[in-house]
Amino acid sequence: MASRKSRPERRQEPLSRERIVAAAVELLDTVGEGGLTFRALAERLATGPGAIYWHVTGKNELLVAAIDAVIAPTLAGDDTGTTPQEAIRSLALGVFDAIDAHPWVGTTLAQLPRTPGKSPMLRVFERIGRQVQALRVPEAAQFTAASALLSYILGVAGQNAANTRAAQTNTDRAAFLDAVATAWRELDPDQYRFTRDVAGQLREHDDRAEFVAGIDLILAGITAGLADGRTRP
C-alpha cells in the first residue's frame, strides 16, 4: 500500500490584540461603525468571538484601540527644531488627514462614553498642551487654549469627513458645492447678506487649506493675547 504524503499544516498567524485592532480598522473602513460587530470581526479573522474577548473586553475598548491605531502615526513626528506654531499646525493636519481617510473616527468619538482618563484623544491633547506651554501661555489660560485647539481640530475634521462621505454617496464634490453655493446665492438678501456674499468662496474653497487657515487664526489670537496680556481664561 502506497503511503500518503501528509500535507504540511497551514501556518496561521497567532491571534493578538494588534491583529484584532488592525482587522477592526479594516472593517470600520469598509462598513462603518455600525457594521463593527464581534461576529463580523471573528469571520474576518477566521476565529471565534470568544477568542477576541480574550484580548478585548468589549466594543468600546475595541473602538478606542482602533482610533488610537489610526491617530498614532500623527504623534510619531519629532517637534525638535520647529516652532510651537509649526508643531501644532503639523499635528492638526495629521489628525485632519487621518479622520479624512477614516471618516468613522469623527462619529465614533462623539458616541463613545466619557471614561475619565481614557479618551483616545488624550495623547493629542497632551501634545497640543505642551506646545501651548512652549508658547508661554499663562498657566491659568493653558487649558482654555489647548481645549479650543483640540475642539476645532476634531470638530472641523469630523464635519469635513462627514461632508465628504455624504458627497461621495450623492454626487461628486464639485457638483455638491456648486449646488449649495447656488442655493446660497438665491437666499433672501436681507436675511442672508453675508451668506450670499461668500457663496462663491464656498464653491471654490479647499477643505484642507481652510482648515489650516482656521488653526492659524486661533494661533494668531493666542499670540496677540500674549503680546498685550489678554490671554486669560
Side-chain angles (χ1 to χ4, degrees), residues 25-57:
V25 171
E26 293 174 359
L27 192 58
L28 286 160
D29 287 343
T30 304
V31 298
E33 54 278 13
L36 178 64
T37 65
F38 273 54
R39 175 174 293 183
L41 190 57
E43 290 178 1
R44 181 173 286 262
L45 289 165
T47 187
I52 296 175
Y53 279 110
W54 180 262
H55 298 275
V56 183
T57 59

PDB file of all heavy atoms in Angstrom, residues 25-57:
ATOM      1  N   VAL A  25     -10.027  48.056  12.223  1.00  0.00           N
ATOM      2  CA  VAL A  25      -9.867  49.267  11.409  1.00  0.00           C
ATOM      3  C   VAL A  25     -10.283  48.990   9.966  1.00  0.00           C
ATOM      4  O   VAL A  25     -11.001  49.791   9.345  1.00  0.00           O
ATOM      5  CB  VAL A  25      -8.407  49.772  11.463  1.00  0.00           C
ATOM      6  CG1 VAL A  25      -8.185  50.895  10.442  1.00  0.00           C
ATOM      7  CG2 VAL A  25      -8.069  50.266  12.866  1.00  0.00           C
ATOM      8  N   GLU A  26      -9.868  47.865   9.422  1.00  0.00           N
ATOM      9  CA  GLU A  26     -10.252  47.493   8.050  1.00  0.00           C
ATOM     10  C   GLU A  26     -11.766  47.352   7.923  1.00  0.00           C
ATOM     11  O   GLU A  26     -12.366  47.805   6.936  1.00  0.00           O
ATOM     12  CB  GLU A  26      -9.575  46.186   7.650  1.00  0.00           C
ATOM     13  CG  GLU A  26      -8.061  46.276   7.503  1.00  0.00           C
ATOM     14  CD  GLU A  26      -7.430  44.915   7.237  1.00  0.00           C
ATOM     15  OE1 GLU A  26      -8.186  43.918   7.187  1.00  0.00           O
ATOM     16  OE2 GLU A  26      -6.193  44.852   7.080  1.00  0.00           O
ATOM     17  N   LEU A  27     -12.380  46.748   8.920  1.00  0.00           N
ATOM     18  CA  LEU A  27     -13.830  46.553   8.898  1.00  0.00           C
ATOM     19  C   LEU A  27     -14.556  47.893   9.010  1.00  0.00           C
ATOM     20  O   LEU A  27     -15.533  48.147   8.300  1.00  0.00           O
ATOM     21  CB  LEU A  27     -14.238  45.626  10.047  1.00  0.00           C
ATOM     22  CG  LEU A  27     -15.667  45.063  10.024  1.00  0.00           C
ATOM     23  CD1 LEU A  27     -15.916  44.274   8.741  1.00  0.00           C
ATOM     24  CD2 LEU A  27     -15.887  44.171  11.241  1.00  0.00           C
ATOM     25  N   LEU A  28     -14.072  48.753   9.872  1.00  0.00           N
ATOM     26  CA  LEU A  28     -14.659  50.085  10.032  1.00  0.00           C
ATOM     27  C   LEU A  28     -14.531  50.905   8.744  1.00  0.00           C
ATOM     28  O   LEU A  28     -15.455  51.623   8.351  1.00  0.00           O
ATOM     29  CB  LEU A  28     -13.992  50.819  11.194  1.00  0.00           C
ATOM     30  CG  LEU A  28     -14.391  50.342  12.595  1.00  0.00           C
ATOM     31  CD1 LEU A  28     -13.352  50.777  13.617  1.00  0.00           C
ATOM     32  CD2 LEU A  28     -15.755  50.894  12.975  1.00  0.00           C
ATOM     33  N   ASP A  29     -13.392  50.784   8.087  1.00  0.00           N
ATOM     34  CA  ASP A  29     -13.194  51.495   6.823  1.00  0.00           C
ATOM     35  C   ASP A  29     -14.150  50.997   5.747  1.00  0.00           C
ATOM     36  O   ASP A  29     -14.570  51.753   4.867  1.00  0.00           O
ATOM     37  CB  ASP A  29     -11.748  51.308   6.325  1.00  0.00           C
ATOM     38  CG  ASP A  29     -10.745  52.109   7.137  1.00  0.00           C
ATOM     39  OD1 ASP A  29     -11.153  53.024   7.856  1.00  0.00           O
ATOM     40  OD2 ASP A  29      -9.539  51.799   7.044  1.00  0.00           O
ATOM     41  N   THR A  30     -14.499  49.721   5.820  1.00  0.00           N
ATOM     42  CA  THR A  30     -15.340  49.104   4.793  1.00  0.00           C
ATOM     43  C   THR A  30     -16.824  49.335   5.033  1.00  0.00           C
ATOM     44  O   THR A  30     -17.554  49.728   4.126  1.00  0.00           O
ATOM     45  CB  THR A  30     -15.068  47.587   4.717  1.00  0.00           C
ATOM     46  OG1 THR A  30     -13.675  47.367   4.493  1.00  0.00           O
ATOM     47  CG2 THR A  30     -15.863  46.954   3.587  1.00  0.00           C
ATOM     48  N   VAL A  31     -17.271  49.084   6.272  1.00  0.00           N
ATOM     49  CA  VAL A  31     -18.717  49.113   6.546  1.00  0.00           C
ATOM     50  C   VAL A  31     -19.128  50.176   7.562  1.00  0.00           C
ATOM     51  O   VAL A  31     -20.314  50.336   7.844  1.00  0.00           O
ATOM     52  CB  VAL A  31     -19.204  47.727   7.026  1.00  0.00           C
ATOM     53  CG1 VAL A  31     -18.989  46.693   5.950  1.00  0.00           C
ATOM     54  CG2 VAL A  31     -18.491  47.309   8.315  1.00  0.00           C
ATOM     55  N   GLY A  32     -18.164  50.908   8.123  1.00  0.00           N
ATOM     56  CA  GLY A  32     -18.508  51.946   9.083  1.00  0.00           C
ATOM     57  C   GLY A  32     -18.725  51.397  10.477  1.00  0.00           C
ATOM     58  O   GLY A  32     -18.746  50.183  10.707  1.00  0.00           O
ATOM     59  N   GLU A  33     -18.919  52.338  11.424  1.00  0.00           N
ATOM     60  CA  GLU A  33     -19.027  51.952  12.826  1.00  0.00           C
ATOM     61  C   GLU A  33     -20.239  51.055  13.103  1.00  0.00           C
ATOM     62  O   GLU A  33     -20.211  50.217  13.997  1.00  0.00           O
ATOM     63  CB  GLU A  33     -19.088  53.195  13.724  1.00  0.00           C
ATOM     64  CG  GLU A  33     -20.177  54.201  13.380  1.00  0.00           C
ATOM     65  CD  GLU A  33     -19.816  55.159  12.259  1.00  0.00           C
ATOM     66  OE1 GLU A  33     -18.814  54.918  11.544  1.00  0.00           O
ATOM     67  OE2 GLU A  33     -20.548  56.135  12.085  1.00  0.00           O
ATOM     68  N   GLY A  34     -21.317  51.225  12.327  1.00  0.00           N
ATOM     69  CA  GLY A  34     -22.497  50.400  12.541  1.00  0.00           C
ATOM     70  C   GLY A  34     -22.285  48.939  12.175  1.00  0.00           C
ATOM     71  O   GLY A  34     -23.006  48.055  12.655  1.00  0.00           O
ATOM     72  N   GLY A  35     -21.304  48.652  11.329  1.00  0.00           N
ATOM     73  CA  GLY A  35     -21.070  47.287  10.884  1.00  0.00           C
ATOM     74  C   GLY A  35     -20.028  46.540  11.683  1.00  0.00           C
ATOM     75  O   GLY A  35     -19.737  45.368  11.390  1.00  0.00           O
ATOM     76  N   LEU A  36     -19.457  47.207  12.686  1.00  0.00           N
ATOM     77  CA  LEU A  36     -18.440  46.542  13.506  1.00  0.00           C
ATOM     78  C   LEU A  36     -19.113  45.729  14.601  1.00  0.00           C
ATOM     79  O   LEU A  36     -19.651  46.279  15.562  1.00  0.00           O
ATOM     80  CB  LEU A  36     -17.491  47.571  14.134  1.00  0.00           C
ATOM     81  CG  LEU A  36     -16.411  46.989  15.046  1.00  0.00           C
ATOM     82  CD1 LEU A  36     -15.452  46.100  14.267  1.00  0.00           C
ATOM     83  CD2 LEU A  36     -15.640  48.107  15.761  1.00  0.00           C
ATOM     84  N   THR A  37     -19.133  44.439  14.425  1.00  0.00           N
ATOM     85  CA  THR A  37     -19.623  43.519  15.457  1.00  0.00           C
ATOM     86  C   THR A  37     -18.555  42.462  15.695  1.00  0.00           C
ATOM     87  O   THR A  37     -17.702  42.219  14.829  1.00  0.00           O
ATOM     88  CB  THR A  37     -20.926  42.818  15.017  1.00  0.00           C
ATOM     89  OG1 THR A  37     -20.645  41.974  13.888  1.00  0.00           O
ATOM     90  CG2 THR A  37     -21.990  43.841  14.630  1.00  0.00           C
ATOM     91  N   PHE A  38     -18.611  41.813  16.847  1.00  0.00           N
ATOM     92  CA  PHE A  38     -17.620  40.790  17.137  1.00  0.00           C
ATOM     93  C   PHE A  38     -17.809  39.584  16.227  1.00  0.00           C
ATOM     94  O   PHE A  38     -16.855  38.886  15.911  1.00  0.00           O
ATOM     95  CB  PHE A  38     -17.701  40.396  18.614  1.00  0.00           C
ATOM     96  CG  PHE A  38     -16.853  41.277  19.495  1.00  0.00           C
ATOM     97  CD1 PHE A  38     -16.987  42.658  19.480  1.00  0.00           C
ATOM     98  CD2 PHE A  38     -15.891  40.725  20.329  1.00  0.00           C
ATOM     99  CE1 PHE A  38     -16.217  43.466  20.280  1.00  0.00           C
ATOM    100  CE2 PHE A  38     -15.098  41.528  21.135  1.00  0.00           C
ATOM    101  CZ  PHE A  38     -15.255  42.906  21.115  1.00  0.00           C
ATOM    102  N   ARG A  39     -19.038  39.357  15.787  1.00  0.00           N
ATOM    103  CA  ARG A  39     -19.267  38.247  14.859  1.00  0.00           C
ATOM    104  C   ARG A  39     -18.601  38.533  13.515  1.00  0.00           C
ATOM    105  O   ARG A  39     -17.919  37.668  12.953  1.00  0.00           O
ATOM    106  CB  ARG A  39     -20.767  38.021  14.674  1.00  0.00           C
ATOM    107  CG  ARG A  39     -21.084  36.954  13.637  1.00  0.00           C
ATOM    108  CD  ARG A  39     -22.566  36.656  13.584  1.00  0.00           C
ATOM    109  NE  ARG A  39     -23.023  36.017  14.816  1.00  0.00           N
ATOM    110  CZ  ARG A  39     -24.264  35.593  15.024  1.00  0.00           C
ATOM    111  NH1 ARG A  39     -25.178  35.766  14.083  1.00  0.00           N
ATOM    112  NH2 ARG A  39     -24.587  35.008  16.154  1.00  0.00           N
ATOM    113  N   ALA A  40     -18.806  39.773  12.995  1.00  0.00           N
ATOM    114  CA  ALA A  40     -18.194  40.132  11.714  1.00  0.00           C
ATOM    115  C   ALA A  40     -16.677  40.134  11.827  1.00  0.00           C
ATOM    116  O   ALA A  40     -15.965  39.712  10.906  1.00  0.00           O
ATOM    117  CB  ALA A  40     -18.697  41.502  11.261  1.00  0.00           C
ATOM    118  N   LEU A  41     -16.175  40.597  12.961  1.00  0.00           N
ATOM    119  CA  LEU A  41     -14.732  40.624  13.171  1.00  0.00           C
ATOM    120  C   LEU A  41     -14.172  39.204  13.267  1.00  0.00           C
ATOM    121  O   LEU A  41     -13.103  38.912  12.718  1.00  0.00           O
ATOM    122  CB  LEU A  41     -14.417  41.401  14.454  1.00  0.00           C
ATOM    123  CG  LEU A  41     -12.959  41.743  14.740  1.00  0.00           C
ATOM    124  CD1 LEU A  41     -12.337  42.534  13.601  1.00  0.00           C
ATOM    125  CD2 LEU A  41     -12.847  42.524  16.048  1.00  0.00           C
ATOM    126  N   ALA A  42     -14.902  38.311  13.925  1.00  0.00           N
ATOM    127  CA  ALA A  42     -14.460  36.916  14.044  1.00  0.00           C
ATOM    128  C   ALA A  42     -14.400  36.250  12.681  1.00  0.00           C
ATOM    129  O   ALA A  42     -13.468  35.483  12.386  1.00  0.00           O
ATOM    130  CB  ALA A  42     -15.408  36.152  14.967  1.00  0.00           C
ATOM    131  N   GLU A  43     -15.369  36.539  11.816  1.00  0.00           N
ATOM    132  CA  GLU A  43     -15.349  35.976  10.464  1.00  0.00           C
ATOM    133  C   GLU A  43     -14.145  36.473   9.680  1.00  0.00           C
ATOM    134  O   GLU A  43     -13.500  35.725   8.950  1.00  0.00           O
ATOM    135  CB  GLU A  43     -16.643  36.354   9.738  1.00  0.00           C
ATOM    136  CG  GLU A  43     -17.880  35.640  10.275  1.00  0.00           C
ATOM    137  CD  GLU A  43     -19.148  36.074   9.564  1.00  0.00           C
ATOM    138  OE1 GLU A  43     -19.051  36.917   8.632  1.00  0.00           O
ATOM    139  OE2 GLU A  43     -20.230  35.585   9.922  1.00  0.00           O
ATOM    140  N   ARG A  44     -13.842  37.760   9.834  1.00  0.00           N
ATOM    141  CA  ARG A  44     -12.691  38.327   9.117  1.00  0.00           C
ATOM    142  C   ARG A  44     -11.386  37.702   9.599  1.00  0.00           C
ATOM    143  O   ARG A  44     -10.443  37.520   8.826  1.00  0.00           O
ATOM    144  CB  ARG A  44     -12.671  39.842   9.312  1.00  0.00           C
ATOM    145  CG  ARG A  44     -11.543  40.568   8.592  1.00  0.00           C
ATOM    146  CD  ARG A  44     -11.713  42.072   8.722  1.00  0.00           C
ATOM    147  NE  ARG A  44     -12.780  42.545   7.875  1.00  0.00           N
ATOM    148  CZ  ARG A  44     -12.603  43.097   6.663  1.00  0.00           C
ATOM    149  NH1 ARG A  44     -11.387  43.206   6.170  1.00  0.00           N
ATOM    150  NH2 ARG A  44     -13.622  43.517   5.961  1.00  0.00           N
ATOM    151  N   LEU A  45     -11.324  37.375  10.882  1.00  0.00           N
ATOM    152  CA  LEU A  45     -10.098  36.819  11.462  1.00  0.00           C
ATOM    153  C   LEU A  45     -10.092  35.291  11.438  1.00  0.00           C
ATOM    154  O   LEU A  45      -9.115  34.676  11.890  1.00  0.00           O
ATOM    155  CB  LEU A  45      -9.952  37.305  12.908  1.00  0.00           C
ATOM    156  CG  LEU A  45      -9.605  38.792  13.081  1.00  0.00           C
ATOM    157  CD1 LEU A  45      -9.838  39.227  14.519  1.00  0.00           C
ATOM    158  CD2 LEU A  45      -8.166  39.060  12.670  1.00  0.00           C
ATOM    159  N   ALA A  46     -11.170  34.696  10.950  1.00  0.00           N
ATOM    160  CA  ALA A  46     -11.303  33.233  10.905  1.00  0.00           C
ATOM    161  C   ALA A  46     -11.105  32.630  12.283  1.00  0.00           C
ATOM    162  O   ALA A  46     -10.313  31.703  12.499  1.00  0.00           O
ATOM    163  CB  ALA A  46     -10.311  32.639   9.909  1.00  0.00           C
ATOM    164  N   THR A  47     -11.826  33.168  13.251  1.00  0.00           N
ATOM    165  CA  THR A  47     -11.747  32.669  14.620  1.00  0.00           C
ATOM    166  C   THR A  47     -13.125  32.791  15.245  1.00  0.00           C
ATOM    167  O   THR A  47     -14.106  33.150  14.575  1.00  0.00           O
ATOM    168  CB  THR A  47     -10.699  33.461  15.431  1.00  0.00           C
ATOM    169  OG1 THR A  47     -10.521  32.843  16.706  1.00  0.00           O
ATOM    170  CG2 THR A  47     -11.120  34.908  15.620  1.00  0.00           C
ATOM    171  N   GLY A  48     -13.232  32.523  16.517  1.00  0.00           N
ATOM    172  CA  GLY A  48     -14.497  32.652  17.220  1.00  0.00           C
ATOM    173  C   GLY A  48     -14.535  33.925  18.049  1.00  0.00           C
ATOM    174  O   GLY A  48     -13.485  34.426  18.470  1.00  0.00           O
ATOM    175  N   PRO A  49     -15.736  34.459  18.309  1.00  0.00           N
ATOM    176  CA  PRO A  49     -15.837  35.679  19.121  1.00  0.00           C
ATOM    177  C   PRO A  49     -15.188  35.532  20.489  1.00  0.00           C
ATOM    178  O   PRO A  49     -14.618  36.493  21.015  1.00  0.00           O
ATOM    179  CB  PRO A  49     -17.356  35.883  19.245  1.00  0.00           C
ATOM    180  CG  PRO A  49     -17.932  35.206  18.047  1.00  0.00           C
ATOM    181  CD  PRO A  49     -17.052  34.011  17.804  1.00  0.00           C
ATOM    182  N   GLY A  50     -15.246  34.325  21.050  1.00  0.00           N
ATOM    183  CA  GLY A  50     -14.649  34.118  22.364  1.00  0.00           C
ATOM    184  C   GLY A  50     -13.158  34.383  22.385  1.00  0.00           C
ATOM    185  O   GLY A  50     -12.622  34.908  23.368  1.00  0.00           O
ATOM    186  N   ALA A  51     -12.479  34.037  21.299  1.00  0.00           N
ATOM    187  CA  ALA A  51     -11.033  34.269  21.226  1.00  0.00           C
ATOM    188  C   ALA A  51     -10.723  35.765  21.203  1.00  0.00           C
ATOM    189  O   ALA A  51      -9.698  36.213  21.730  1.00  0.00           O
ATOM    190  CB  ALA A  51     -10.471  33.602  19.970  1.00  0.00           C
ATOM    191  N   ILE A  52     -11.625  36.548  20.596  1.00  0.00           N
ATOM    192  CA  ILE A  52     -11.424  38.003  20.550  1.00  0.00           C
ATOM    193  C   ILE A  52     -11.600  38.598  21.938  1.00  0.00           C
ATOM    194  O   ILE A  52     -10.842  39.474  22.359  1.00  0.00           O
ATOM    195  CB  ILE A  52     -12.400  38.640  19.546  1.00  0.00           C
ATOM    196  CG1 ILE A  52     -12.105  38.127  18.133  1.00  0.00           C
ATOM    197  CG2 ILE A  52     -12.297  40.165  19.583  1.00  0.00           C
ATOM    198  CD1 ILE A  52     -13.091  38.600  17.087  1.00  0.00           C
ATOM    199  N   TYR A  53     -12.613  38.102  22.661  1.00  0.00           N
ATOM    200  CA  TYR A  53     -12.861  38.623  24.014  1.00  0.00           C
ATOM    201  C   TYR A  53     -11.697  38.346  24.959  1.00  0.00           C
ATOM    202  O   TYR A  53     -11.571  38.994  26.007  1.00  0.00           O
ATOM    203  CB  TYR A  53     -14.139  38.010  24.589  1.00  0.00           C
ATOM    204  CG  TYR A  53     -15.401  38.687  24.104  1.00  0.00           C
ATOM    205  CD1 TYR A  53     -16.266  38.037  23.224  1.00  0.00           C
ATOM    206  CD2 TYR A  53     -15.731  39.977  24.532  1.00  0.00           C
ATOM    207  CE1 TYR A  53     -17.431  38.657  22.776  1.00  0.00           C
ATOM    208  CE2 TYR A  53     -16.888  40.598  24.096  1.00  0.00           C
ATOM    209  CZ  TYR A  53     -17.736  39.934  23.222  1.00  0.00           C
ATOM    210  OH  TYR A  53     -18.882  40.550  22.789  1.00  0.00           O
ATOM    211  N   TRP A  54     -10.850  37.404  24.609  1.00  0.00           N
ATOM    212  CA  TRP A  54      -9.666  37.149  25.430  1.00  0.00           C
ATOM    213  C   TRP A  54      -8.706  38.341  25.399  1.00  0.00           C
ATOM    214  O   TRP A  54      -7.981  38.600  26.346  1.00  0.00           O
ATOM    215  CB  TRP A  54      -8.959  35.893  24.919  1.00  0.00           C
ATOM    216  CG  TRP A  54      -7.724  35.521  25.695  1.00  0.00           C
ATOM    217  CD1 TRP A  54      -6.436  35.806  25.361  1.00  0.00           C
ATOM    218  CD2 TRP A  54      -7.674  34.809  26.935  1.00  0.00           C
ATOM    219  NE1 TRP A  54      -5.578  35.311  26.309  1.00  0.00           N
ATOM    220  CE2 TRP A  54      -6.322  34.699  27.301  1.00  0.00           C
ATOM    221  CE3 TRP A  54      -8.652  34.266  27.775  1.00  0.00           C
ATOM    222  CZ2 TRP A  54      -5.916  34.064  28.461  1.00  0.00           C
ATOM    223  CZ3 TRP A  54      -8.240  33.617  28.940  1.00  0.00           C
ATOM    224  CH2 TRP A  54      -6.891  33.520  29.262  1.00  0.00           C
ATOM    225  N   HIS A  55      -8.748  39.086  24.276  1.00  0.00           N
ATOM    226  CA  HIS A  55      -7.833  40.221  24.100  1.00  0.00           C
ATOM    227  C   HIS A  55      -8.513  41.577  24.280  1.00  0.00           C
ATOM    228  O   HIS A  55      -7.857  42.558  24.631  1.00  0.00           O
ATOM    229  CB  HIS A  55      -7.210  40.171  22.695  1.00  0.00           C
ATOM    230  CG  HIS A  55      -6.390  38.954  22.434  1.00  0.00           C
ATOM    231  ND1 HIS A  55      -5.064  38.859  22.796  1.00  0.00           N
ATOM    232  CD2 HIS A  55      -6.706  37.765  21.849  1.00  0.00           C
ATOM    233  CE1 HIS A  55      -4.587  37.670  22.441  1.00  0.00           C
ATOM    234  NE2 HIS A  55      -5.562  36.991  21.869  1.00  0.00           N
ATOM    235  N   VAL A  56      -9.815  41.647  24.014  1.00  0.00           N
ATOM    236  CA  VAL A  56     -10.560  42.908  24.094  1.00  0.00           C
ATOM    237  C   VAL A  56     -11.853  42.643  24.847  1.00  0.00           C
ATOM    238  O   VAL A  56     -12.596  41.717  24.517  1.00  0.00           O
ATOM    239  CB  VAL A  56     -10.893  43.452  22.680  1.00  0.00           C
ATOM    240  CG1 VAL A  56     -11.594  44.790  22.791  1.00  0.00           C
ATOM    241  CG2 VAL A  56      -9.631  43.585  21.840  1.00  0.00           C
ATOM    242  N   THR A  57     -12.142  43.465  25.856  1.00  0.00           N
ATOM    243  CA  THR A  57     -13.277  43.181  26.729  1.00  0.00           C
ATOM    244  C   THR A  57     -14.625  43.535  26.118  1.00  0.00           C
ATOM    245  O   THR A  57     -15.651  42.985  26.511  1.00  0.00           O
ATOM    246  CB  THR A  57     -13.131  43.936  28.057  1.00  0.00           C
ATOM    247  OG1 THR A  57     -13.054  45.348  27.797  1.00  0.00           O
ATOM    248  CG2 THR A  57     -11.889  43.487  28.803  1.00  0.00           C
TER     249      THR A  57
END
